[in-house]
Amino acid sequence: MTIPTRLFAPLLAGATLRDRVVAGLAAGIGIALTSLVSSWLLGWSSLPLLVAPVGASAVLLFAVPASPLAQPWPLLGGNVVSALVGVTIAQLLGHGPLAAGAAVGAAIVGMALCRCLHPPGGAAALTAVIGGPAVTAAGFVFPFAPVAVNSLLLLGTGWAFHRVSGHRYPHRAGPPVAAPGLLRADIYRALAEAHESFDIAPEDLEQLLQRAERHAETRRGQRPA
């Protein structure tokens, strides 16, 4: 029986093996440095020196730095806002299944309202509920130390890495590409009709579509009459 090679194709457009290997090495270094510096800054505390959500944050920050979910405010704000929500839910509802579900659900709403949607934030909210006695005792300190400290340190290493690697981070869409017939309003209408959320900024999508349209025009112009 043969295994379809498409099963091993990249799930993300533009992904290459080299990019993923470099991102993995960079994420490993980023987490190690975050842990090391956090140990120095928070060694006085009985709290965890490194929280699990930053591992998920590292995946976004190093592997998909152009994602709207990986930008500085979503990464920092998403983790901190969610941890604050989780602590609040824990104090109101305790640490059972109901509290766990309510924390993650409320964190999604909180991040959306604060424009800082970041998937690892759900784990930050959940950790605030089920993280154990040390997290419970810390109360509203937990979202800031270690969550905010970890997030800021990881952001610093990510920013430095992307400066060296040549990625624009924080990500900004490039200038529009001249292409006839396509308006940003058309893209927003198409997105509204899809009734889905896509992990790409509308400005980046506009630029990609304009480039594709320009290449299509060039290809059509090269066809023999």
Side-chain angles (χ1 to χ4, degrees):
M1 183 180 71
T2 59
I3 299 176
T5 56
R6 64 181 177 81
L7 294 178
F8 299 97
L11 290 174
L12 298 176
T16 66
L17 178 60
R18 178 185 178 277
D19 289 339
R20 293 297 168 254
V21 171
V22 171
L25 292 172
I29 294 171
I31 289 293
L33 288 174
T34 299
S35 179
L36 183 66
V37 179
S38 293
S39 298
W40 177 64
L41 291 175
L42 305 174
W44 50 269
S45 173
S46 61
L47 284 165
L49 300 178
L50 192 68
V51 290
V54 299
S57 295
V59 175
L60 290 169
L61 176 60
F62 291 98
V64 282
S67 168
L69 307 177
Q71 301 314 298
W73 170 238
L75 194 155
L76 175 61
N79 283 336
V80 173
V81 167
S82 297
L84 285 168
V85 168
V87 171
T88 302
I89 293 295
Q91 294 195 357
L92 292 175
L93 301 179
H95 306 279
L98 176 62
V104 175
I108 292 173
V109 175
M111 288 187 287
L113 292 175
C114 294
R115 297 176 59 84
C116 59
L117 191 65
H118 186 63
L126 192 59
T127 302
V129 173
I130 64 171
V135 173
T136 300
F140 287 100
V141 172
F142 174 71
F144 302 99
V147 173
V149 172
N150 288 174
S151 300
L152 284 170
L153 290 171
L154 187 68
L155 270 174
T157 59
W159 178 85
F161 166 73
H162 291 307
R163 293 278 290 185
V164 173
S165 67
H167 291 113
R168 288 194 301 266
Y169 189 83
H171 178 73
R172 295 290 183 272
V177 179
L182 184 67
L183 300 177
R184 183 171 297 183
D186 300 326
I187 295 171
Y188 277 98
R189 291 191 188 99
L191 289 171
E193 289 173 356
H195 300 292
E196 296 285 353
S197 296
F198 299 94
D199 191 9
I200 184 171
E203 295 80 10
D204 287 322
L205 181 59
E206 176 186 22
Q207 188 182 61
L208 286 170
L209 291 174
Q210 287 176 336
R211 288 183 184 275
E213 188 171 350
R214 186 188 63 182
H215 287 302
E217 288 291 329
T218 301
R219 173 174 48 78
R220 287 191 288 266
Q222 290 174 346
R223 288 178 178 173

